[in-house]
Amino acid sequence: MQLNNHTSSYGWIAILLHWLMAIAIIGLAIVGLWMVDLNYYSPWYKTAPFWHKSIGLLLLVLLAFRLFWRWRQPTPQAPVGHQPWEKRLASLTHGLLYGLLAVILLSGYLISTAKGDGISFFGLFEVPALISGLDNQADLSGWIHFWAAMILLGLAALHAAGALKHHLLDRDTTLIRMLKPTPIQTEEH
C-alpha cells in the first residue's frame, strides 16, 4: 500500500486528505448557507452551528496536517503534455485554495469568539477565545467568512473543471492519480 507520495503519483494519505477536506468544505458550505436562515424556534438553531463549528475545527486540524504532509512529501510532477500555463494556473489555484481555507477558518473562529465564548469541539473540550471584543469583530469576520467561502467554492469548481478537462478531453492521468496511487509517465527535465 503506497501511503507516501512519489514523484509520479500521490499516496493514499494525500488522496484521503484531499477527499475528506473536499467533502467537509462542501458540507460546511451547504450547512453554513442553510443555517443563517434558521429562526430561534427551529430545532436546528443551536445544533447546526454546533456541528458547523466542530467540523470547522476538525478541518483546521486537517489543513494543518495536509500542509505539513505536503511540505514533507514530494509533489508529483505534472503528466506529460501539460502546458506551462496549466502548471502555473494549477499551482496558483492550489495556493489560493489553501490560503482562502485558512482565511475562512480564522474568520469562523473570530465570529464564534467575538463575545468571549470558546468553541466546543464535538462536546469533548473547548477551544478558548483568544481573540474577542474587537470592534465589529463578528460582523466583519462574518463578511470575510462568507465571501472567502464563495470565492473558495468558485476556485474549487475551477479545480474540478480542470480535472475533468484533463480526464475527458486531454485523456491524461490528472484525475486518476487523485483517486488511487498510480505511477504515471512524467516529463523529462
Side-chain angles (χ1 to χ4, degrees):
M1 178 183 280
Q2 182 183 329
L3 296 178
N4 295 322
N5 291 358
H6 186 270
T7 56
S8 63
S9 71
Y10 291 100
W12 281 115
I13 292 174
I15 292 169
L16 182 64
L17 286 169
H18 175 270
W19 291 110
L20 281 174
M21 291 179 72
I23 291 165
I25 290 166
I26 292 167
L28 285 171
I30 292 168
V31 170
L33 291 170
W34 168 70
M35 74 182 189
V36 295
D37 289 330
L38 295 174
N39 65 39
Y40 182 78
Y41 299 104
S42 170
W44 290 96
Y45 184 75
K46 290 187 179 186
T47 306
F50 169 82
W51 287 103
H52 187 82
K53 292 173 191 179
S54 291
I55 294 170
L57 289 171
L58 180 60
L59 188 57
L60 177 62
V61 172
L62 287 174
L63 176 62
F65 182 70
R66 186 169 182 184
L67 291 173
F68 170 77
W69 190 256
R70 185 176 172 106
W71 173 64
R72 299 284 297 163
Q73 294 289 306
T75 301
Q77 297 174 10
V80 173
H82 281 212
Q83 300 299 315
W85 69 267
E86 290 174 308
K87 294 175 191 176
R88 285 192 302 274
L89 183 58
S91 179
L92 176 65
T93 301
H94 282 110
L96 287 171
L97 287 169
Y98 289 130
L100 281 166
L101 186 54
V103 166
I104 292 164
L105 295 168
L106 177 60
S107 60
Y109 173 82
L110 291 173
I111 294 165
S112 300
T113 61
K115 293 181 182 176
D117 299 327
I119 305 169
S120 175
F121 182 73
F122 297 106
L124 300 173
F125 60 88
E126 189 171 283
V127 176
L130 300 175
I131 302 171
S132 64
L134 301 175
D135 287 341
N136 231 6
Q137 181 175 333
D139 290 338
L140 181 57
S141 297
W143 185 87
I144 292 168
H145 192 72
F146 175 80
W147 286 109
M150 293 301 104
I151 295 167
L152 178 83
L153 291 174
L155 281 174
L158 176 66
H159 177 68
L164 290 172
K165 175 248 185 212
H166 282 288
H167 186 71
L168 299 172
L169 300 178
D170 300 343
R171 299 197 183 280
D172 66 29
T173 58
T174 299
L175 178 60
I176 300 298
R177 69 185 188 164
M178 196 43 75
L179 297 174
K180 64 180 181 173
T182 307
I184 59 170
Q185 182 180 3
T186 59
E187 296 177 333
E188 306 255 340
H189 290 102

